[in-house]
Every structure is written in structure tokens, then in C-alpha cells.
Amino acid sequence: MRIAHISDLHMRHHLPGTASVAARLSRLMPDYFARALAQIRVLLPDLLVISGDLIDYPLDALDDPATQKQGRQDLESIANLLNEIPVPIAIIPGNHDHPELFDRVFGKFPDDQVVNGYRILTFNDHEDAKHVPVRTGQQLKRFRAALKDSKSLPQIHVQHYIVWPERNEEYPHTYGAGASMCEAIIATGNVRLVLSGHYHPGVPLFYDKGVWFSTIRSFSEAPHPFVIYEIENNRVTATTYLLAL
């Protein structure tokens, strides 16, 4: 099983301006993302994972019709590029995406699918009022049901936020219930790999009691990385690729 993983594009093209963090090269992302997809196609993955923050939506203009139109155009430009990818895609929004616009453009993508003998689950979570990531409601029910499913194929979980380890030094990047989520994941034996974005420095692939965890670095910031994971005999390896400029 070969998985390509890219995250946190923070793209702005039709949306005006750029990200508030200067290192996030929002206005270069339409070109850079297209180039990255061309590189990924050559590597022949079985699955493409995009774990949130596709665009850098101005969060103070969530209800503005003109900004919504621009944001939807940016999401549609990403969708058009993904239409050329000949493999299954697991994709979720991040905290810098407009949730309703994301659903309108990417709602067709499954949140539970089988690829090469693995069950791929995506979880669409959010932040609470203090910006702490939380999994609640239907997403929490899906998570618990998947862990209890004794007949499930080996699972790969994809979410925007970090399940584990804790990375909350300057901003809460890890789920408030991350430690208990990690314990539940490990206890079931159903999950092989847990993939996240959100934390731009990333956390390299590591192994903990039967489960592999990886938080990818942001593609929007130099050197614009993406990762290829190889799963074989319950062992996972990760190779980082950089955008060829």
C-alpha cells in the first residue's frame, strides 16, 4: 500500500491578499500544488490524502457573499486539479477552510472507503471556542463504531488535527481528548496508521504499541514537502519529497 500525503496549502488565488503568516506562500499555491500533483502521479500512489487547510479563507468574512464566491472558486480550482488524479482520494477541511463551501465542492468524496485491503476513514472535526480541537457528535460516533468493529479491515485514520503526541506549546494543535483517543486507538488493534496536518512543523512518523502516527509539515511553507508512506506487513515507512522548483 502506497499513500501520498499533502496538507495545509493555505491557497489564495481568487481570494484576495495572502495568509497572515508571511511564510505561508498562499498566492504561489495554485502553481505549486499543480506541480506537486504532477510529481505525485509519477510516484504511483494507491491513495492521495489531503488533510485540511486547502485554502486560507478570511475567517472574519465567513458570511460575506462576495468572499464566499471567491473561496468557492479557489476550492473548485483545487477540485479541477484533483479530477486528473487516477487514484482514490481522502480529503478533509481544516480550520482555515469554509466548512459549508468545502462540503459543496468536495462532498462527493467518501469518508469511509476501502483501498488495497485497508479501510480509510476521514474525520471532519472542529475547534471549540478556545481553539482546542474536538471530536464530537456524528464524528465521535463513527470513530467509536470503527474501533469496535471486529470485522473491519485494518484501518487508516485521517484528520486535520493531531491525535498524538501533544503539541500545544503556542497554540492547541492536539485534540483536547488526544491522550484518550490515542489509548482507544491502540487498545483496539484495528488501526495501522493515523495521519494529521494542522501543525506546520510536523511530527515525523513514529510507532507506538502497534500503531503508526504521522503529522505532515505544511506544504504552503518552504521547502514545500509531501510524503509517501509505504505499508507492508504492518510496517510503515515514510519518504519526504520536496517540490521541484
Side-chain angles (χ1 to χ4, degrees):
M1 175 71 158
R2 176 178 288 185
I3 302 170
H5 185 193
I6 191 168
S7 190
D8 293 80
L9 313 179
H10 288 271
M11 181 186 293
R12 287 198 191 189
H13 178 60
H14 296 91
L15 284 167
T18 188
S20 59
V21 178
R24 300 173 186 174
L25 304 182
S26 299
R27 304 212 69 80
L28 295 178
M29 287 299 103
D31 176 48
Y32 282 16
F33 183 56
R35 293 188 189 191
L37 290 180
Q39 287 181 240
I40 287 169
R41 288 190 65 169
V42 173
L43 295 169
L44 302 175
D46 302 302
L47 173 72
L48 172 63
V49 170
I50 307 175
S51 53
D53 283 354
L54 281 71
I55 64 175
D56 193 85
Y57 195 92
L59 299 180
D60 58 352
L62 286 173
D63 298 322
D64 178 64
T67 307
Q68 287 185 7
K69 180 179 179 181
Q70 294 163 340
R72 179 161 184 164
Q73 287 175 315
D74 279 353
L75 289 174
E76 287 173 344
S77 69
I78 293 172
N80 289 337
L81 290 172
L82 295 180
N83 285 337
E84 305 300 318
I85 300 299
V87 300
I89 296 173
I91 186 169
I92 48 172
N95 57 304
H96 285 271
D97 291 309
H98 190 296
E100 289 80 14
L101 294 179
F102 182 93
D103 287 344
R104 291 176 202 167
V105 175
F106 296 104
K108 64 181 179 180
F109 286 95
D111 60 11
D112 193 339
Q113 60 184 313
V114 173
V115 179
N116 278 14
Y118 290 87
R119 183 180 175 188
I120 317 300
L121 294 117
T122 59
F123 295 96
N124 184 353
D125 300 316
H126 61 278
E127 297 178 346
D128 67 13
K130 295 183 178 180
H131 301 291
V132 176
V134 292
R135 177 166 294 167
T136 60
Q138 185 61 28
Q139 301 303 313
L140 182 58
K141 290 179 181 178
R142 293 179 57 238
F143 174 69
R144 289 173 172 169
L147 294 184
K148 291 179 181 179
D149 185 357
S150 61
K151 297 181 180 179
S152 175
L153 291 168
Q155 298 174 14
I156 297 170
H157 288 200
V158 179
Q159 50 275 303
H160 181 58
Y161 306 102
I162 301 178
V163 174
W164 196 250
E166 185 175 301
R167 288 292 184 270
N168 297 322
E169 295 83 4
E170 298 178 1
Y171 188 89
H173 296 94
T174 301
Y175 289 91
S180 61
M181 291 169 67
C182 179
E183 291 176 3
I185 286 169
I186 289 171
T188 66
N190 280 352
V191 184
R192 296 293 178 270
L193 178 62
V194 178
L195 299 178
S196 301
H198 188 50
Y199 180 61
H200 285 212
V203 180
L205 179 72
F206 68 94
Y207 182 77
D208 190 354
K209 301 183 181 76
V211 182
W212 297 83
F213 296 82
S214 180
T215 300
I216 193 171
R217 288 183 287 162
S218 168
F219 181 75
S220 69
E221 300 176 26
H224 312 295
F226 61 90
V227 173
I228 297 291
Y229 305 98
E230 300 270 5
I231 307 177
E232 187 173 1
N233 297 326
N234 295 329
R235 179 173 177 80
V236 183
T237 58
T239 303
T240 298
Y241 292 80
L242 305 180
L243 180 67
L245 297 174

